[in-house]
Structure formats: C-alpha cells, structure tokens
Amino acid sequence: MKILLIGATGTLGAALHKTLDTRGHEVLSVGRSGGDLRHDITDPAQVAELYDRAGRVDAVVSAAGHVPYKPVTELTPEDYLAAFHGKVLSQIDLVRQGIPRIAERGSFTLITGVLAREPIPTGSAASMANGALEAFVRAAAIEIAPQRINAVSPTVFTESLAKYGDYFPGMPPVDLADVTQAYVRSVEGAQTGQVYAL
C-alpha cells in the first residue's frame, strides 16, 4: 500500500515508519520540520497542498497532535481552542479532505489517547480532544464506507516512562511495538469505527 504517515518524526511516528516499511508498504512521511513532505496539518490550506503533492494513497495514518497541559483553573478558552485545533480539527481535516483523495477501500487511522477514558490532573484539554476524536471516528465510519476509519488510543509508552511516567501514576505503560501493531491492524484489517485502546 501507499501510506501517508503524518507526524513521522516523533517517537511513535518513527516506530510506525519502520514497522510499515518492514511490512512492504510505500511510506510517505509528513512532518512540520522533517519527512518526505513538510506540511502543518493545523492549516487546511497545507492539508490540501499535502494531498495534491502526495497523489492517490491507500491509507492515511496520523501520529500527530498537540494539546496544552495545565490545571483546569488555569486553562483559558484559547487553550481549549488550541487543543481542538492542534489535535481534533487537524485530524478531522485529514479525513474531510482525504475522502476524495484516497482509494475506494482506503483507510484513515487517527491518534487519540488514554486520557479520553483515564483523566489525569492538568489533562482536561487532552481528555476533551481525545474524546471528541473518538466520537468523530465512530460517527464518520457509518458515512464513509467502503472507506474505513479507526483510532489508536494508547497510554504512556514504555519507552517514554522516564520523561512522562510521573504524569500517569499507576497506569500500565504500553510498548511502542504493541502500538504500532494496532496501526497495522487498522491499516491492513477490515474493521471500521473502532477505537483500539492500549
């Protein structure tokens, strides 16, 4: 398959690139500052340009999304909007603009996260964003068939425990290898409207 990989230079994106490449797929990597194509998916005009440059693809895989982390009493309306634009609207626009650009039975795989179901202090904007995306995936799936859409919703990566583990007390981590397999399941499988929680 020809796969468009968004967020390819991050921790998850790099692992996904390696996994998908090993499985024989042609991977076009996309990032703001690195990758085969340089585009900011928070800008709808750049999303359109990205699809124009990529041409027809079989799958769109996203490992990108930014949200602010602050106590709820300190979060401003602008912070919540930043979370919405940085993680929700950007990925929704990948789908919205991608529907006419991907194969008839192509797929979208978006990234959400554990905070949709297991909130933490300072994470309300992330919880909002992840929950919104998961609801969108379930809703979009019934409209875009035979194209498919799923989300991968991991907890903290084992490989990132040293940096982020303290923010997720008592939550079992997940290996990047397991997260990448959830993406493989979404891309190569037949399910749609699923949220793969790890």
Side-chain angles (χ1 to χ4, degrees):
M1 294 183 192
K2 182 179 177 183
I3 299 174
L4 200 58
L5 171 58
I6 316 297
T9 59
T11 301
L12 175 57
L16 280 169
H17 195 292
K18 183 178 179 181
T19 298
L20 294 169
D21 185 64
T22 299
R23 295 183 66 82
H25 299 298
E26 176 189 353
V27 181
L28 278 176
S29 59
V30 182
R32 277 184 284 203
S33 57
D36 300 318
L37 301 170
R38 310 280 175 92
H39 294 276
D40 180 355
I41 64 165
T42 64
D43 179 352
Q46 289 196 45
V47 172
E49 183 182 338
L50 167 61
Y51 278 120
D52 286 342
R53 291 183 63 194
R56 197 81 163 165
V57 297
D58 298 296
V60 176
V61 168
S62 178
H66 176 74
V67 296
Y69 286 84
K70 295 181 185 177
V72 70
T73 54
E74 296 177 15
L75 282 162
T76 65
E78 290 74 23
D79 288 325
Y80 282 105
L81 282 172
F84 183 75
H85 285 284
K87 191 160 190 181
V88 183
L89 192 58
S90 56
Q91 293 191 86
I92 287 175
D93 211 42
L94 282 174
V95 177
R96 184 184 67 83
Q97 293 198 48
I99 289 169
R101 315 280 191 116
I102 73 167
E104 181 183 3
R105 294 188 175 275
S107 69
F108 300 93
T109 307
L110 309 184
I111 181 76
T112 67
V114 68
L115 300 188
R117 57 192 183 277
E118 296 284 349
I120 61 169
T122 75
S124 66
S127 293
M128 173 205 72
N130 291 335
L133 273 169
E134 292 181 8
F136 170 76
V137 163
R138 289 187 289 268
I142 66 173
E143 295 189 50
I144 69 170
Q147 292 174 339
R148 300 180 301 104
I149 182 170
N150 298 299
V152 175
S153 181
T155 184
V156 63
F157 305 141
T158 305
E159 293 82 353
S160 300
L161 274 178
K163 190 172 182 180
Y164 298 112
D166 289 345
Y167 295 100
F168 299 88
M171 292 190 196
V174 62
D175 294 347
L176 274 172
D178 294 328
V179 181
T180 61
Q181 288 307 303
Y183 275 89
V184 169
R185 181 179 178 189
S186 178
V187 170
E188 297 182 11
Q191 292 184 317
T192 190
Q194 301 300 303
V195 176
Y196 300 120
L198 298 106

